[in-house]
Amino acid sequence: MSNKTTIGDKLRTYLKHPGSFIVMLLVMLAAVITFAVLIFLIAYILINGLPHITPSLFSLEYSSENASVVPAFVNTIIMTLLSLLIAVPFGIFSAVFLVEYAARGNKFIEVIRLTTETLSGIPSIVYGLFGMLFFVNALDWGFSLLAGAFTMAIMILPLIMRTTEEALKAVPDSYREGSFGLGAGKLRTVFRIVLPSAIPGVLAGVILAIGRIVGETAALMYTSGTVAQIPDSIMGSGRTLALHMYNLSSEGLYMDQAYATAVILLVLVVGINALSSVIARKLTKA
Amino acid sequence: MKPKAWTEKFMQGVFFIAACASVLAVALICIFLFANGIPAIREIGFLDFITGQEWRPNSGQFGIFPMIVGSLYVTAGAIIFGVPIGILTSVFMAMYCPKKIYKPLKAATELLAGIPSVIYGFFGLVVVVPLIREFGTALYRAGIVKNPGNGNSILTASLILGMMILPTIIGTTESAMRAVPSHYYEGSLALGATKERSIFRVIIPAAKSGVIAGIVLGIGRAIGETMAVIMIVGNQARLTSSMLEGIRTLTGNIVIEMGYATGLHREALIATGVVLFVFILIINFSVALLKRGADHE
């Protein structure tokens, strides 16, 4: 244990180098600030919001008296399912193409990489503008869950592509070779061998995408609209939970309900993200 | 051709078409934004639009210079608060953090990234805005500032945005620092440098590209942030030099007025989106270049 420094040794070094000591203190201070801010934010919202979670908040119909979250919650679920239905097949298939089919050094891969990187850097308000111009106006769908879902699908596409790609790359080549050796074709190998072993990674990405859909506001404001009811069909307008919460807090009349909605939204998103990292950790263990 | 070979070919085509989706999406986004925004810029006049200081849609004045400055102000503020704390926190995560608490802390930084922007905005609205209002009043009473402001200010938005870019900066900086070969650090220690000196004089310079890429990504996130900012920044479309006064950002301009805008006003808002999009493309391009630089090192 000769190479282990004691606290005394450390103190002696710091006495000789006061500059280093100050730097060390700054590092510690920064870390404390970062985590204290996070804890404070979560605690503040929970403490102020939990008392306002009342039965009337969960009325089946929204009215200006109860500011119920139920319609917004149902809309969020519909929005999430629709977006995933569109984005997941495209995301997985393009990852399959990139990893399993495209030849290495192919110029087209470079183009796809560049476009997915561009997509993941575009701010949500630009997606919202595009969704409004294309789905709402050009395709004449009006403010609707469908227009919102397509907009969200484009937004989460790079996320699903990237996580699936990483999961596919993590599948050992011996699996593929074994499958080919047994006489399976390429397609069979992809669907029966490679994709099943990559499922945890894909799932972690999908769940992360759900978290983004649930928390999104700017991209949905002018695509799915802000009606506080469950629409009759996916061609109708309806606001999701995050948008509902924005409207409550910007109107200023429903601060108690806004606090309560913030708790629900926060717990939902934190839970979704935690689930994703648990699944991802299982993947690295396996 | 055997039926099996036919399915193989067919599915290969399906995968290829799926892979084209992202290319198509980027193309559509560019086409629709530019096709709807550029006519308005032409009608208003490029220079009048970019450098005009008056935004009065009712009297046909469409100058977005105050909004460009507003976006730059809050982004610069976010960098001032977020970058030092972010880099120092990633030094802690990479070099100081005891193994036992590393996992929960790492999860916490990821959590910070996952919290929706509307929650950050709400937190800013109910916690930071009142604090800054009191701070402004105190400064006003002490005679330091002329206008105490009402709490919805550049400073408030900078603080919240600084918080929001922390996870981006921590994530990229930490992984860049971890990618530096450990013999750099050990060599520096062996030469008698202290741990702190070794970190800040050897590891961080070696991880420079990654650190800068993280900062630029943070800039991209701050400049594109919408909902959190409009809830706390006041949204007055004019120039100001006081940190305690409100201002409007490019993103805010779009969201606030799109609901009722028509005609040239609406097109001018889309053109605002085009300007924002061009900013973001430049930022993305620099990140890509920096990453390439980091890979070559």
Side-chain angles (χ1 to χ4, degrees):
Chain A
M1 300 300 267
S2 59
N3 59 349
K4 199 143 199 187
T5 46
T6 62
I7 296 173
D9 287 342
K10 273 189 188 166
L11 277 180
R12 236 162 284 142
T13 326
Y14 281 136
L15 273 179
K16 267 188 245 162
H17 303 277
S20 290
F21 185 64
I22 292 168
V23 168
M24 190 271 288
L25 283 186
L26 284 176
V27 168
M28 296 298 165
L29 183 70
V32 168
I33 290 177
T34 301
F35 298 110
V37 158
L38 174 69
I39 292 167
F40 179 64
L41 185 149
I42 293 176
Y44 186 88
I45 287 180
L46 286 183
I47 290 168
N48 287 288
L50 282 175
H52 296 298
I53 296 189
T54 52
S56 73
L57 200 65
F58 298 99
S59 314
L60 287 178
E61 289 283 323
Y62 174 92
S63 71
S64 52
E65 279 106 53
N66 62 22
S68 166
V69 296
V70 173
F73 190 74
V74 174
N75 286 338
T76 309
I77 294 173
I78 300 172
M79 179 70 71
T80 307
L81 290 178
L82 277 177
S83 315
L84 290 180
L85 206 64
I86 304 158
V88 169
F90 274 104
I92 292 181
F93 281 7
S94 33
V96 166
F97 178 79
L98 287 177
V99 179
E100 307 290 329
Y101 284 87
R104 276 177 224 292
N106 188 335
K107 279 276 170 236
F108 186 64
I109 299 188
E110 292 266 315
V111 176
I112 295 177
R113 278 270 135 73
L114 193 72
T115 50
T116 37
E117 266 172 33
T118 310
L119 277 182
S120 58
I122 295 178
S124 48
I125 180 66
V126 173
Y127 281 108
L129 262 187
F130 165 72
M132 184 191 79
L133 292 171
F134 187 62
F135 299 117
V136 176
N137 293 344
L139 299 184
D140 204 18
W141 291 351
F143 286 160
S144 58
L145 287 180
L146 194 67
F150 266 90
T151 311
M152 291 312 297
I154 299 177
M155 206 168 135
I156 60 170
L157 184 67
L159 182 66
I160 292 178
M161 273 177 77
R162 206 188 56 236
T163 45
T164 310
E165 224 187 304
E166 273 160 24
L168 290 177
K169 276 184 186 157
V171 176
D173 268 341
S174 56
Y175 283 30
R176 298 184 180 87
E177 285 152 14
S179 169
F180 290 143
L182 290 170
K186 181 124 195 169
L187 199 61
R188 207 181 174 81
T189 307
V190 166
F191 277 104
R192 290 292 173 84
I193 307 292
V194 180
L195 273 179
S197 3
I199 278 179
V202 178
L203 210 58
V206 170
I207 295 171
L208 218 54
I210 297 177
R212 281 196 70 180
I213 299 169
V214 172
E216 186 50 54
T217 16
L220 292 175
M221 208 164 183
Y222 295 114
T223 51
S224 79
T226 51
V227 176
Q229 305 288 357
I230 306 168
D232 297 329
S233 78
I234 55 171
M235 296 314 290
S237 162
R239 67 192 189 196
T240 63
L241 206 54
L243 207 47
H244 178 68
M245 140 130 217
Y246 170 72
N247 282 321
L248 288 183
S249 61
S250 66
E251 282 162 14
L253 300 169
Y254 303 99
M255 281 321 256
D256 292 351
Q257 287 90 335
Y259 270 112
T261 314
V263 171
I264 298 170
L265 190 60
L266 191 65
V267 169
L268 208 60
V269 171
V270 168
I272 289 168
N273 284 322
L275 189 65
S276 167
S277 61
V278 165
I279 291 174
R281 205 166 303 146
K282 275 221 172 106
L283 172 77
T284 46
K285 262 185 201 156
Chain B
M1 215 185 261
K2 277 191 234 163
K4 199 176 154 194
W6 187 86
T7 3
E8 290 275 350
K9 278 274 166 227
F10 175 75
M11 282 311 285
Q12 190 171 347
V14 170
F15 292 142
F16 176 76
I17 290 167
C20 293
S22 64
V23 184
L24 181 74
V26 171
L28 279 177
I29 291 174
C30 289
I31 292 169
F32 269 82
L33 276 183
F34 287 115
N36 284 283
I38 288 184
I41 298 180
R42 198 171 291 153
E43 197 175 329
I44 299 161
F46 180 73
L47 277 182
D48 287 340
F49 183 62
I50 297 290
T51 61
Q53 301 201 0
E54 299 294 330
W55 175 265
R56 290 203 187 99
N58 293 333
S59 48
Q61 281 178 299
F62 298 100
I64 60 162
F65 189 68
M67 275 73 98
I68 295 179
V69 172
S71 280
L72 294 180
Y73 271 167
V74 293
T75 306
I79 296 301
I80 290 170
F81 290 118
V83 168
I85 295 183
I87 290 183
L88 289 174
T89 305
S90 48
V91 168
F92 174 81
M93 296 295 284
M95 309 299 298
Y96 287 89
C97 188
K99 273 206 177 104
K100 272 185 192 162
I101 58 167
Y102 179 77
K103 268 191 181 172
L105 290 188
K106 187 74 194 162
T109 58
E110 280 160 14
L111 180 62
L112 210 50
I115 294 175
S117 49
V118 54
I119 300 262
Y120 278 109
F122 186 68
F123 178 73
L125 188 70
V126 293
V127 177
V128 186
V129 167
L131 275 179
I132 299 295
R133 189 186 300 138
E134 277 179 26
F135 177 64
T137 322
L139 287 185
Y140 177 68
R141 287 213 183 105
I144 299 170
V145 291
K146 284 185 192 126
N147 181 355
N150 63 359
N152 291 303
S153 65
I154 300 172
L155 184 61
T156 317
S158 302
L159 282 168
I160 290 291
L161 280 176
M163 252 171 98
M164 293 179 74
I165 64 171
L166 274 179
T168 315
I169 292 173
I170 295 173
T172 39
T173 308
E174 193 197 334
S175 58
M177 285 176 66
R178 286 191 186 278
V180 176
S182 62
H183 57 252
Y184 282 31
Y185 177 63
E186 285 152 12
S188 168
L189 285 184
L191 287 171
T194 60
K195 180 173 184 175
E196 289 72 24
R197 205 177 175 80
S198 308
I199 294 170
F200 286 92
R201 289 295 176 82
V202 177
I203 296 191
I204 290 191
K208 195 177 57 199
S209 304
V211 176
I212 297 174
I215 295 173
V216 180
L217 271 178
I219 294 177
R221 187 152 184 215
I223 216 168
E225 181 47 51
T226 314
M227 303 318 272
V229 173
I230 61 172
M231 289 165 89
I232 53 179
V233 82
N235 302 315
Q236 298 92 332
R238 49 132 174 80
L239 289 167
T240 176
S241 55
S242 166
M243 290 286 283
L244 292 169
E245 284 176 27
I247 205 163
R248 184 183 286 189
T249 63
L250 289 169
T251 53
N253 198 33
I254 303 168
V255 168
I256 289 163
E257 297 189 359
M258 191 52 97
Y260 57 83
T262 51
L264 184 61
H265 182 194
R266 185 169 176 280
E267 283 175 37
L269 294 178
I270 296 165
T272 311
V274 171
V275 174
L276 176 70
F277 188 53
V278 170
F279 270 125
I280 293 290
L281 287 181
I282 294 170
I283 289 168
N284 282 351
F285 190 64
S286 358
V287 172
L289 281 184
L290 283 166
K291 273 191 183 155
R292 201 155 291 172
D295 289 343
H296 280 296
E297 265 167 23

